[in-house]
PDB file of all heavy atoms in Angstrom:
ATOM      1  N   LEU T 532      41.405  30.639 119.499  1.00  0.00           N
ATOM      2  CA  LEU T 532      42.322  31.509 120.321  1.00  0.00           C
ATOM      3  C   LEU T 532      42.814  30.862 121.594  1.00  0.00           C
ATOM      4  O   LEU T 532      43.752  31.259 122.244  1.00  0.00           O
ATOM      5  CB  LEU T 532      41.622  32.826 120.623  1.00  0.00           C
ATOM      6  CG  LEU T 532      41.171  33.665 119.428  1.00  0.00           C
ATOM      7  CD1 LEU T 532      40.474  34.927 119.866  1.00  0.00           C
ATOM      8  CD2 LEU T 532      42.363  33.927 118.496  1.00  0.00           C
ATOM      9  N   ARG T 533      42.120  29.756 121.998  1.00  0.00           N
ATOM     10  CA  ARG T 533      42.516  28.923 123.096  1.00  0.00           C
ATOM     11  C   ARG T 533      42.716  29.664 124.452  1.00  0.00           C
ATOM     12  O   ARG T 533      43.522  29.276 125.259  1.00  0.00           O
ATOM     13  CB  ARG T 533      43.815  28.186 122.717  1.00  0.00           C
ATOM     14  CG  ARG T 533      43.723  27.460 121.373  1.00  0.00           C
ATOM     15  CD  ARG T 533      45.042  26.927 120.902  1.00  0.00           C
ATOM     16  NE  ARG T 533      45.395  25.667 121.529  1.00  0.00           N
ATOM     17  CZ  ARG T 533      46.567  25.035 121.294  1.00  0.00           C
ATOM     18  NH1 ARG T 533      47.448  25.570 120.519  1.00  0.00           N
ATOM     19  NH2 ARG T 533      46.814  23.914 121.904  1.00  0.00           N
ATOM     20  N   GLY T 534      41.974  30.766 124.582  1.00  0.00           N
ATOM     21  CA  GLY T 534      41.982  31.507 125.807  1.00  0.00           C
ATOM     22  C   GLY T 534      43.312  32.193 126.082  1.00  0.00           C
ATOM     23  O   GLY T 534      43.591  32.619 127.203  1.00  0.00           O
ATOM     24  N   SER T 535      44.102  32.436 125.027  1.00  0.00           N
ATOM     25  CA  SER T 535      45.479  32.938 125.196  1.00  0.00           C
ATOM     26  C   SER T 535      45.723  34.197 124.423  1.00  0.00           C
ATOM     27  O   SER T 535      45.375  34.284 123.193  1.00  0.00           O
ATOM     28  CB  SER T 535      46.478  31.928 124.818  1.00  0.00           C
ATOM     29  OG  SER T 535      47.802  32.327 124.996  1.00  0.00           O
ATOM     30  N   ARG T 536      46.343  35.134 125.077  1.00  0.00           N
ATOM     31  CA  ARG T 536      46.796  36.371 124.375  1.00  0.00           C
ATOM     32  C   ARG T 536      47.992  36.099 123.480  1.00  0.00           C
ATOM     33  O   ARG T 536      48.402  36.941 122.751  1.00  0.00           O
ATOM     34  CB  ARG T 536      47.109  37.481 125.373  1.00  0.00           C
ATOM     35  CG  ARG T 536      45.895  38.002 126.150  1.00  0.00           C
ATOM     36  CD  ARG T 536      46.243  39.039 127.133  1.00  0.00           C
ATOM     37  NE  ARG T 536      47.072  38.610 128.188  1.00  0.00           N
ATOM     38  CZ  ARG T 536      47.647  39.398 129.080  1.00  0.00           C
ATOM     39  NH1 ARG T 536      47.539  40.728 129.026  1.00  0.00           N
ATOM     40  NH2 ARG T 536      48.393  38.839 130.053  1.00  0.00           N
ATOM     41  N   THR T 537      48.565  34.895 123.584  1.00  0.00           N
ATOM     42  CA  THR T 537      49.715  34.599 122.763  1.00  0.00           C
ATOM     43  C   THR T 537      49.311  34.103 121.329  1.00  0.00           C
ATOM     44  O   THR T 537      50.181  33.925 120.476  1.00  0.00           O
ATOM     45  CB  THR T 537      50.595  33.429 123.396  1.00  0.00           C
ATOM     46  OG1 THR T 537      49.821  32.234 123.409  1.00  0.00           O
ATOM     47  CG2 THR T 537      50.985  33.840 124.798  1.00  0.00           C
ATOM     48  N   VAL T 538      47.981  33.808 121.155  1.00  0.00           N
ATOM     49  CA  VAL T 538      47.537  33.347 119.810  1.00  0.00           C
ATOM     50  C   VAL T 538      46.968  34.531 119.043  1.00  0.00           C
ATOM     51  O   VAL T 538      46.057  35.219 119.517  1.00  0.00           O
ATOM     52  CB  VAL T 538      46.462  32.311 119.979  1.00  0.00           C
ATOM     53  CG1 VAL T 538      45.973  31.837 118.628  1.00  0.00           C
ATOM     54  CG2 VAL T 538      47.017  31.108 120.763  1.00  0.00           C
ATOM     55  N   ARG T 539      47.555  34.843 117.939  1.00  0.00           N
ATOM     56  CA  ARG T 539      47.066  35.971 117.094  1.00  0.00           C
ATOM     57  C   ARG T 539      45.976  35.479 116.173  1.00  0.00           C
ATOM     58  O   ARG T 539      46.113  34.526 115.428  1.00  0.00           O
ATOM     59  CB  ARG T 539      48.191  36.516 116.320  1.00  0.00           C
ATOM     60  CG  ARG T 539      49.298  37.248 117.144  1.00  0.00           C
ATOM     61  CD  ARG T 539      50.454  37.654 116.310  1.00  0.00           C
ATOM     62  NE  ARG T 539      50.045  38.288 115.059  1.00  0.00           N
ATOM     63  CZ  ARG T 539      50.870  38.471 114.037  1.00  0.00           C
ATOM     64  NH1 ARG T 539      52.091  38.045 114.067  1.00  0.00           N
ATOM     65  NH2 ARG T 539      50.466  39.023 112.951  1.00  0.00           N
ATOM     66  N   GLU T 570      43.296  29.231 129.694  1.00  0.00           N
ATOM     67  CA  GLU T 570      44.353  29.293 128.699  1.00  0.00           C
ATOM     68  C   GLU T 570      44.847  27.868 128.390  1.00  0.00           C
ATOM     69  O   GLU T 570      45.344  27.156 129.253  1.00  0.00           O
ATOM     70  CB  GLU T 570      45.473  30.167 129.157  1.00  0.00           C
ATOM     71  CG  GLU T 570      46.505  30.480 128.113  1.00  0.00           C
ATOM     72  CD  GLU T 570      47.373  31.683 128.501  1.00  0.00           C
ATOM     73  OE1 GLU T 570      47.568  31.884 129.706  1.00  0.00           O
ATOM     74  OE2 GLU T 570      47.879  32.360 127.556  1.00  0.00           O
ATOM     75  N   PRO T 580      43.465  35.008 130.749  1.00  0.00           N
ATOM     76  CA  PRO T 580      43.887  36.418 130.449  1.00  0.00           C
ATOM     77  C   PRO T 580      43.170  36.980 129.297  1.00  0.00           C
ATOM     78  O   PRO T 580      43.014  38.224 129.180  1.00  0.00           O
ATOM     79  CB  PRO T 580      45.397  36.193 130.156  1.00  0.00           C
ATOM     80  CG  PRO T 580      45.742  34.919 130.810  1.00  0.00           C
ATOM     81  CD  PRO T 580      44.593  34.042 130.687  1.00  0.00           C
ATOM     82  N   LEU T 581      42.672  36.146 128.355  1.00  0.00           N
ATOM     83  CA  LEU T 581      42.020  36.664 127.106  1.00  0.00           C
ATOM     84  C   LEU T 581      40.558  37.049 127.326  1.00  0.00           C
ATOM     85  O   LEU T 581      40.158  38.063 126.904  1.00  0.00           O
ATOM     86  CB  LEU T 581      42.203  35.631 126.027  1.00  0.00           C
ATOM     87  CG  LEU T 581      41.551  36.059 124.684  1.00  0.00           C
ATOM     88  CD1 LEU T 581      42.354  37.149 124.037  1.00  0.00           C
ATOM     89  CD2 LEU T 581      41.467  34.848 123.712  1.00  0.00           C
ATOM     90  N   THR T 582      39.802  36.153 128.031  1.00  0.00           N
ATOM     91  CA  THR T 582      38.360  36.356 128.044  1.00  0.00           C
ATOM     92  C   THR T 582      37.811  36.660 129.421  1.00  0.00           C
ATOM     93  O   THR T 582      36.631  36.916 129.565  1.00  0.00           O
ATOM     94  CB  THR T 582      37.663  35.127 127.520  1.00  0.00           C
ATOM     95  OG1 THR T 582      37.994  34.000 128.245  1.00  0.00           O
ATOM     96  CG2 THR T 582      38.020  34.898 126.019  1.00  0.00           C
ATOM     97  N   GLU T 775      55.350  36.111 129.414  1.00  0.00           N
ATOM     98  CA  GLU T 775      54.748  37.124 130.333  1.00  0.00           C
ATOM     99  C   GLU T 775      53.257  37.334 130.123  1.00  0.00           C
ATOM    100  O   GLU T 775      52.553  37.846 131.008  1.00  0.00           O
ATOM    101  CB  GLU T 775      55.530  38.451 130.239  1.00  0.00           C
ATOM    102  CG  GLU T 775      56.924  38.380 130.760  1.00  0.00           C
ATOM    103  CD  GLU T 775      57.739  39.657 130.556  1.00  0.00           C
ATOM    104  OE1 GLU T 775      57.213  40.517 129.868  1.00  0.00           O
ATOM    105  OE2 GLU T 775      58.831  39.742 131.140  1.00  0.00           O
ATOM    106  N   LEU T 776      52.722  36.938 128.910  1.00  0.00           N
ATOM    107  CA  LEU T 776      51.334  37.056 128.676  1.00  0.00           C
ATOM    108  C   LEU T 776      50.527  35.945 129.244  1.00  0.00           C
ATOM    109  O   LEU T 776      49.277  36.010 129.292  1.00  0.00           O
ATOM    110  CB  LEU T 776      51.122  37.223 127.121  1.00  0.00           C
ATOM    111  CG  LEU T 776      51.725  38.343 126.398  1.00  0.00           C
ATOM    112  CD1 LEU T 776      51.484  38.152 124.871  1.00  0.00           C
ATOM    113  CD2 LEU T 776      51.101  39.673 126.880  1.00  0.00           C
ATOM    114  N   LEU T 777      51.151  34.889 129.699  1.00  0.00           N
ATOM    115  CA  LEU T 777      50.466  33.712 130.088  1.00  0.00           C
ATOM    116  C   LEU T 777      49.798  33.881 131.489  1.00  0.00           C
ATOM    117  O   LEU T 777      50.232  34.694 132.319  1.00  0.00           O
ATOM    118  CB  LEU T 777      51.420  32.495 130.203  1.00  0.00           C
ATOM    119  CG  LEU T 777      52.044  31.978 128.928  1.00  0.00           C
ATOM    120  CD1 LEU T 777      53.080  30.890 129.245  1.00  0.00           C
ATOM    121  CD2 LEU T 777      50.998  31.432 128.004  1.00  0.00           C
ATOM    122  N   ASP T 778      48.776  33.050 131.781  1.00  0.00           N
ATOM    123  CA  ASP T 778      48.148  32.966 133.112  1.00  0.00           C
ATOM    124  C   ASP T 778      49.311  32.636 134.026  1.00  0.00           C
ATOM    125  O   ASP T 778      50.082  31.719 133.824  1.00  0.00           O
ATOM    126  CB  ASP T 778      47.135  31.841 132.968  1.00  0.00           C
ATOM    127  CG  ASP T 778      46.430  31.580 134.303  1.00  0.00           C
ATOM    128  OD1 ASP T 778      47.031  31.750 135.384  1.00  0.00           O
ATOM    129  OD2 ASP T 778      45.223  31.160 134.280  1.00  0.00           O
ATOM    130  N   ARG T 782      52.185  29.540 133.837  1.00  0.00           N
ATOM    131  CA  ARG T 782      53.647  29.718 133.905  1.00  0.00           C
ATOM    132  C   ARG T 782      54.244  28.814 134.918  1.00  0.00           C
ATOM    133  O   ARG T 782      55.361  28.274 134.703  1.00  0.00           O
ATOM    134  CB  ARG T 782      53.969  31.213 134.172  1.00  0.00           C
ATOM    135  CG  ARG T 782      53.899  32.103 132.888  1.00  0.00           C
ATOM    136  CD  ARG T 782      54.768  33.300 133.072  1.00  0.00           C
ATOM    137  NE  ARG T 782      54.488  34.059 134.323  1.00  0.00           N
ATOM    138  CZ  ARG T 782      53.552  35.055 134.382  1.00  0.00           C
ATOM    139  NH1 ARG T 782      52.868  35.376 133.313  1.00  0.00           N
ATOM    140  NH2 ARG T 782      53.398  35.743 135.469  1.00  0.00           N
TER     141      ARG T 782
END
Side-chain angles (χ1 to χ4, degrees):
L532 302 179
R533 307 170 82 185
S535 182
R536 293 182 294 171
T537 68
V538 180
R539 291 174 45 197
E570 193 163 27
L581 181 68
T582 58
E775 288 176 352
L776 296 175
L777 295 173
D778 180 327
R782 279 204 304 271

